Amino acid sequence: MTRKEFVRICGFLGLSLPFQPIISSKERDQNVLIIGAGAAGITAGYLLGQQGISYQILEASMNYGGRMKTNRDFTDFPIPLGAEWIHVSDKELEKIINNPNRTISTQLKKYPRKEQVGYYESGEMTYRTIPAVFGPFYKEQKFVNSTWLTFFEDHLLPEVREKIKYGHQILEVDYSGKKVKLRDQNGTVFNADRVILTIPLKQLQKGMVTFSPSLPDYKTQAIQRAEIWGGIKIFIKFSEKFYPAFTLFPDSDASNGQRLYYDAAFGQNSNSAILGLFAVGEQAKPYQYQVNSEQISYVLDELDQVFNGKASENYEKHIVQNWDREPFIEAAYLSDYESNGLTRELSHPLEDKIFFAGTAYTRENDWGSVHNATRSAHGAVNELLKAISAKP
C-alpha cells in the first residue's frame, strides 16, 4: 500500500490514534520541555496541560506555528503558506482537541465530485472530474476562511500561549544525567525531567543539534538517509478566474517530487481569483532557482502556455513562500516515498527521556501532514506518561 492509498483509506474510514490519560495525580510532579512551537509542539503542550503536568515550549523563531505559517494581508481570506488541506476525516479535529465538551467552530469544505481537474501534456489540456483523477474516496477538504493555524489559534493556543518562550534555538541536548540539560544559541541552560523534541528533521540532518551521549547508530543512520523534500508555494492574484480546481502535469506525482496548480480561493467566502502553486522535491527546484522578477515571469510563462496567454493578461500580484529558505526549517517535509520503518526509527524515544514528535516522527504508514504531527504528539505524550508511571 502506498502512502497516498493509506491517506485515502484513513480519510474514508475516519481512522486516528486515540489519546488515553494514564497518569495519576501523584505522578504529575514533572518538568517537561518541548522544543518547537509548531503543530506537534503546541499539541504536546496542550495535552500535557490537560494532565496537569508542568511544561514549557522553547521556540527558535519569534513566531509560533512552524509550517502552518499563514498570510493575512494578501487578499480577503487567510493564505496558508504551508499546510493547507485536511487529508482525513473532519473527526480528526475532535481527536486533536481531545475534549468532548469543546465546541469546534472551524468550517471545512469538501470538493464537489463535479469539480474539474485539468491535465496538461505536450501542449494539450484535457479535463476530467475529481473522482476520475483522484479516485472515489477522495476526501481532501479546505478550511473555510481559516487555515490550520487559525484552528490552532482558536482551539489549542489559548491553553498554551503563555508557555511559549521565543528566540531559543536549542543547539545541545545532554541526557546523560538524571535531568536533561539543554543549551541554546546564547549559552542559556534549561533543565528538564523529560523533553519532547519537535525540531524539523532537516535541522537534525544538518547537525544543528548535538546530543550527549551521541544518538544511537540506528537513529543517526535513519536521520542521514532520510530523503527530505524541499518545497515552495506561490500564490497569484488575477483579475479573473480562468483555471480549474487543479491543474496537473506528467510530473505532478512522481517518486522524486510533486507539483500542481490549484484554485486557492476554493471554498472561501471570497470573489478573489487566487491561484496557488504547490511544488516539492525536484519539481520545486525550477521555481526556487528563479529570483525576484524572473520567478514570477517563469510562472506566468508556464501558465500562459497552459491557458493561452490568460495568465499574463490577468496578473495583478503574487507572494512566494520558499520553505528551503525559512529559518530553522529549511525544507518542506519527508519524502512521501520513504519507508514507515524509517519513520518508526526516527520516532523512537531515547532512554525514556527524549521523545520525538512531528510530521516525520510517526509510527504509521503516513506522514508529512498536520494531522500526522498531532498524532505523533499524542503518541509522544502517551509514551512520556507511561515512562513517568513506570519510574521506580
Side-chain angles (χ1 to χ4, degrees):
M1 179 183 295
T2 68
R3 175 184 185 272
K4 291 186 177 298
E5 289 170 341
F6 180 84
V7 171
R8 290 171 186 167
I9 290 174
C10 283
F12 180 65
L13 299 177
L15 297 179
S16 185
L17 298 178
F19 177 77
Q20 300 294 337
I22 56 174
I23 190 170
S24 65
S25 58
K26 68 179 181 179
E27 295 167 328
R28 290 175 179 157
D29 186 20
Q30 290 279 306
N31 174 35
V32 178
L33 283 175
I34 301 168
I35 313 305
I42 292 173
T43 303
Y46 174 83
L47 295 172
L48 289 173
Q50 287 184 326
Q51 296 298 311
I53 293 178
S54 175
Y55 71 92
Q56 192 171 69
I57 300 176
L58 302 178
E59 166 59 37
S61 74
M62 300 307 295
N63 298 289
Y64 57 78
R67 282 166 286 183
M68 297 187 294
K69 186 176 181 180
T70 296
N71 176 288
R72 294 178 170 90
D73 302 320
F74 183 68
T75 189
D76 55 353
F77 60 89
I79 293 289
L81 298 174
E84 184 160 355
W85 293 269
I86 177 168
H87 304 294
V88 289
S89 166
D90 53 10
K91 297 296 182 183
E92 194 77 22
L93 301 182
E94 299 175 8
K95 294 167 184 175
I96 293 171
I97 293 175
N98 194 49
N99 184 345
N101 298 319
R102 292 282 297 274
T103 300
I104 298 178
S105 58
T106 304
Q107 293 182 310
L108 301 171
K109 175 74 172 179
K110 295 180 180 179
Y111 286 90
R113 295 174 65 85
K114 64 180 181 180
E115 282 288 332
Q116 293 291 298
V117 178
Y119 182 80
Y120 184 80
E121 183 177 14
S122 302
E124 183 178 353
M125 176 77 98
T126 57
Y127 293 92
R128 300 173 68 189
T129 62
I130 279 181
V133 176
F134 298 129
F137 298 141
Y138 188 73
K139 297 294 182 180
E140 304 285 307
Q141 298 183 74
K142 288 266 288 183
F143 289 84
V144 178
N145 280 70
S146 63
T147 66
W148 268 114
L149 183 63
T150 51
F151 166 76
F152 274 73
E153 290 174 331
D154 291 343
H155 300 290
L156 280 75
L157 198 64
E159 311 296 328
V160 173
R161 189 188 298 269
E162 294 183 358
K163 300 288 189 178
I164 304 175
K165 296 188 69 174
Y166 298 99
H168 294 283
Q169 182 186 11
I170 298 303
L171 302 179
E172 299 176 17
V173 177
D174 183 347
Y175 63 104
S176 60
K178 184 175 181 181
K179 294 273 189 178
V180 181
K181 294 183 179 181
L182 308 176
R183 189 183 300 273
D184 72 5
Q185 80 282 9
N186 295 317
T188 305
V189 175
F190 300 87
N191 294 286
D193 294 298
R194 288 174 171 83
V195 170
I196 298 178
L197 192 150
T198 74
I199 295 173
L201 183 59
K202 189 68 173 182
Q203 298 294 289
L204 296 185
Q205 196 172 71
K206 293 178 66 174
M208 299 302 294
V209 182
T210 60
F211 293 83
S212 180
S214 298
L215 293 176
D217 288 344
Y218 78 86
K219 191 173 286 288
T220 298
Q221 292 167 8
I223 291 170
Q224 292 306 317
R225 74 173 185 267
E227 181 184 359
I228 304 171
W229 282 342
I232 190 170
K233 293 184 79 175
I234 300 176
F235 293 88
I236 312 167
K237 184 175 183 180
F238 294 103
S239 56
E240 68 175 44
K241 179 182 174 182
F242 51 83
Y243 41 82
F246 298 97
T247 301
L248 307 180
F249 303 87
D251 64 348
S252 281
D253 187 6
S255 60
N256 63 351
Q258 301 166 356
R259 72 169 173 135
L260 57 82
Y261 288 97
Y262 62 97
D263 179 5
F266 170 82
Q268 310 308 307
N269 300 322
S270 171
N271 293 320
S272 297
I274 310 292
L275 183 67
L277 167 67
F278 166 88
V280 292
E282 289 298 314
Q283 282 77 315
K285 291 179 179 178
Y287 306 100
Q288 292 172 320
Y289 288 157
Q290 311 299 322
V291 295
N292 301 325
S293 61
E294 295 175 357
Q295 191 171 55
I296 188 60
S297 294
Y298 181 88
V299 172
L300 292 176
D301 287 346
E302 180 174 67
L303 290 170
D304 281 341
Q305 293 179 37
V306 178
F307 298 107
N308 300 316
K310 291 183 179 179
S312 294
E313 291 176 6
N314 293 283
Y315 168 79
E316 292 187 358
K317 62 179 182 177
H318 73 285
I319 53 174
V320 178
Q321 174 64 41
N322 185 347
W323 283 101
D324 291 28
R325 296 182 181 177
E326 185 70 17
F328 314 115
I329 297 177
E330 301 182 70
Y333 48 79
L334 185 67
S335 163
D336 286 353
Y337 292 86
E338 276 294 359
S339 70
N340 56 10
L342 181 138
T343 61
R344 285 178 170 85
E345 291 176 337
L346 294 173
S347 70
H348 197 274
L350 302 174
E351 299 184 4
D352 286 338
K353 294 179 184 177
I354 311 292
F355 302 85
F356 295 83
T359 59
Y361 311 104
T362 74
R363 296 196 176 187
E364 40 185 317
N365 294 332
D366 186 21
W367 49 85
S369 302
V370 173
H371 75 273
N372 306 118
T374 63
R375 290 180 184 183
S376 71
H378 280 237
V381 171
N382 262 330
E383 289 179 322
L384 185 149
L385 297 180
K386 290 177 183 177
I388 293 173
S389 298
K391 70 177 182 178

